[in-house]
Every structure is written in structure tokens, then in C-alpha cells.
Amino acid sequence: MEKKNVFKKIIILGTALVLGLSASTASVVKADTNNSGAAGTQQVLPQAQKVKTFQVAIVKKNYGIYQGFFASKKTSQDYFHQTFNVNRTFTYNGKKYYWINKKGSPAIGYLNKNAVATPNQAKLVDTPYVSQYAPVKAPWGCAGAAMAMLLGSQGQKITTGLLQNIQNHLPMQPTKGGQKGNVYTGIGFGYVISPGALAKYARTYPQGKNIINVSSKKLTVNDLKMYVQGGKPVLYYGFSSYQKAGDNQRNHCKVITGYKQGKFLVYDPLYYSRNDGAGTGGKNMKYDHGAIAWVAKATIQKEFCHKALTIK
């Protein structure tokens, strides 16, 4: 009996010591599908290394955030597009992890490096360029052409038949949020389809099931950057190269497919060919950048109206 009691006390003491280890030391962790090997296995993490503090933003939603022995699991979605400091890292199973915290506060946990981006991290998103003039000529069909680019980023093959179908069935007034005016002739044109109606329409296509409307007064150009850094193209509402002085209506849809050194890679459907350069559109040189162009953040900011679609 005495031996059993001794062993029992040793087990209890050992458990208490293990649970008392700090998060910066080696710890036991249950595998997560986004983080490591087979679920349910027990592994030992290496000791976290201190690094010079740098900032990151969480740009992906489907990663776990852990503390201690992973007993408290959160999700990166809870902190999506928030900025944190990193001052400790470790590598486990060939993948790098960051401890994230707000200045002056304890770390909220650690997560896979792939879930975050540094403030000026460059990113290009594979997206096809689609014109609203060729092969289907729809001079007032920018929304449909831009939507097709989002579909293409999700694997949709862009064909003449697809573009005709998109333009022919684009929701129109009096449908709620529908476009006012014919996409082919412009007869009766007043405004393009609303972001909510366009996202709903996009989801009627198989490759569009994850397209969402993220329009909000709180949406910022920095959010657009972080969506792109997370690997998602962004369709946004802005000005066209035909914009007239005094006209402040954002009646044109374009797609952001990249970010680099303070500039956004913008695909503008208002050109016949992806090779059309600046000045080949409506001649308003504030916005006549060409079919594919790197556009300064400040320029995007001037036309931004908090209306956008992206991929969830």
C-alpha cells in the first residue's frame, strides 16, 4: 500500500510540474489539421525562440490559435484582419509558428505563419483577365466581366458562352439591387448592380459559391490589401476612365489581383485586350491606367467607396 501511495504521489507531482511549464518551453500538443500530423497524436514542441518584434495581420480564417497545451483553442477568424506583434517563434514538423500579442498584453496564443502577412508583404493572386468588350461586347457590363474574373480565380474556364450567359442574366431593375440599364446598349442606364445582388448572382454559378459581399462603412483599403495577401482577389466599385468632372458615382467594377510595395495590381475590364495600356480607354487619365496596371494605394483610396466582393 505504501509503494502504491508513493507512486501515486510521484504521478501527481509530475503532472503538476508538466502543467506548470511556461508557453515558451517545450510542450505537448495534440495535432491540428492545419498545423501538424495525424489527429490525436501527442508530440513535443521545441522551445520558442525570441526574435526582434515585428507586426503581422491575420489574413486567413481557417487556422487554430493555441495556448499552453492547446487546451484553449481559438480560431484565426476571431481575429481576422487584426494586427499583432510577434516576438517569439518556433518551428514544428517543418512549419513555422508565431506567438501573437498586443503591445503590453499577454500573448493570445500561437498560430501557423501561413495564416498571417507582414504589413508590406507582396502577393499575386492567379486570376484571368476578362474584357467587357471582347469576345462579348457589353460596354455597360463591367460588373459581369469583373464577376467572371472572380469565377476564373476559382477555376472556372472563361468562354464566350459563359460571358454571354453572365451578361444575359445579370439581375436588372426592378429586381432588388439589380442594374439599371441595358449592358449591351446602355439604354436606360442609371447605375450598376449593387454588391449584394452581384454576390448573390455570382453564387448561382458553381465556382461562385464562396463569393461574398464584404461591403461596409468599416471596410478600408487596408482590408482590400489583406484579402489579397490572404490569396483572395477583390472586386471593388470605383471610377472608370470615362468619369466626367463632377460625377462622383462609383459605377464601375474592377478587380484587385495583387499587392506590392504600396501598389495594387488592378484588372480593369473596360479595355478590349489585356495588353491595352494607359490612355487607351476614356482618356480620364486619373483612372485610364490600362487593362492591367499597378495603381498606387493613394489612387485607390480616392475612389474607394467601401463596396467590394471577395472569396470567403
Side-chain angles (χ1 to χ4, degrees):
M1 291 295 291
E2 291 181 352
K3 289 184 178 180
K4 288 183 179 180
N5 288 334
V6 169
F7 284 128
K8 185 175 181 180
K9 289 180 179 180
I10 290 173
I11 291 171
I12 293 173
L13 179 60
T15 301
L17 288 173
V18 170
L19 291 175
L21 289 175
S22 69
S24 64
T25 61
S27 59
V28 179
V29 48
K30 290 184 179 180
D32 173 68
T33 54
N34 278 322
N35 294 334
S36 55
T41 60
Q42 298 250 340
Q43 304 292 336
V44 177
L45 291 178
Q47 183 172 343
Q49 301 297 315
K50 289 186 177 181
V51 296
K52 184 177 180 180
T53 301
F54 60 95
Q55 285 191 328
V56 297
I58 294 180
V59 297
K60 293 185 180 179
K61 296 181 179 181
N62 60 334
Y63 282 77
I65 299 177
Y66 298 97
Q67 295 177 331
F69 285 177
F70 288 63
S72 175
K73 177 180 178 181
K74 300 180 181 180
T75 171
S76 56
Q77 182 171 347
D78 297 335
Y79 302 96
F80 188 58
H81 283 192
Q82 291 188 35
T83 301
F84 294 91
N85 292 327
V86 174
N87 51 29
R88 287 186 295 164
T89 71
F90 67 88
T91 300
Y92 171 69
N93 200 24
K95 299 175 183 178
K96 196 163 190 176
Y97 295 84
Y98 292 159
W99 286 88
I100 57 175
N101 65 85
K102 295 285 188 179
K103 185 177 181 180
S105 300
I108 67 166
Y110 58 88
L111 79 165
N112 194 304
K113 174 186 176 182
N114 292 335
V116 305
T118 53
N120 208 33
Q121 187 168 310
K123 180 69 176 181
L124 294 176
V125 183
D126 187 16
T127 307
Y129 174 77
V130 177
S131 167
Q132 67 191 75
Y133 286 112
V136 176
K137 190 173 184 178
W140 287 265
C142 63
M147 186 192 93
M149 295 192 218
L150 294 189
L151 294 177
S153 75
Q154 300 304 291
Q156 173 67 58
K157 183 178 180 180
I158 306 300
T159 65
T160 300
L162 173 73
L163 295 177
Q164 287 176 331
N165 188 75
I166 289 174
Q167 299 292 10
N168 288 343
H169 297 95
L170 188 76
M172 308 290 288
Q173 287 292 328
T175 300
K176 183 179 179 180
Q179 179 158 311
K180 183 178 181 181
N182 190 283
V183 297
Y184 298 111
T185 67
I187 293 175
F189 183 78
Y191 43 79
V192 295
I193 184 172
S194 72
L198 184 60
K200 183 178 179 180
Y201 178 49
R203 291 193 293 272
T204 64
Y205 290 82
Q207 285 75 18
K209 63 182 179 180
N210 291 322
I211 293 177
I212 56 174
N213 173 25
V214 292
S215 302
S216 165
K217 290 182 179 180
K218 295 182 179 180
L219 187 72
T220 67
V221 173
N222 200 46
D223 284 313
L224 305 189
K225 178 192 73 172
M226 288 188 283
Y227 278 120
V228 172
Q229 289 175 326
K232 311 297 184 181
V234 177
L235 182 160
Y236 76 102
Y237 285 60
F239 295 138
S240 81
S241 62
Y242 290 88
Q243 206 76 23
K244 302 296 183 183
D247 179 8
N248 294 315
Q249 294 297 314
R250 274 72 168 178
N251 263 329
H252 189 46
C253 296
K254 295 173 273 191
V255 179
I256 297 173
T257 67
Y259 175 81
K260 180 177 66 175
Q261 297 178 342
K263 292 185 176 181
F264 293 88
L265 185 60
V266 177
Y267 282 16
D268 188 339
L270 200 59
Y271 296 85
Y272 280 86
S273 165
R274 63 179 291 121
N275 299 317
D276 289 347
T280 59
K283 308 302 182 182
N284 181 335
M285 294 310 296
K286 288 183 179 180
Y287 305 103
D288 195 348
H289 304 296
I292 298 177
W294 286 100
V295 180
K297 180 180 178 180
T299 300
I300 301 291
Q301 184 69 59
K302 288 178 181 177
E303 63 175 328
F304 185 55
C305 64
H306 311 285
K307 295 180 180 180
L309 276 61
T310 190
I311 316 294
K312 70 178 180 181

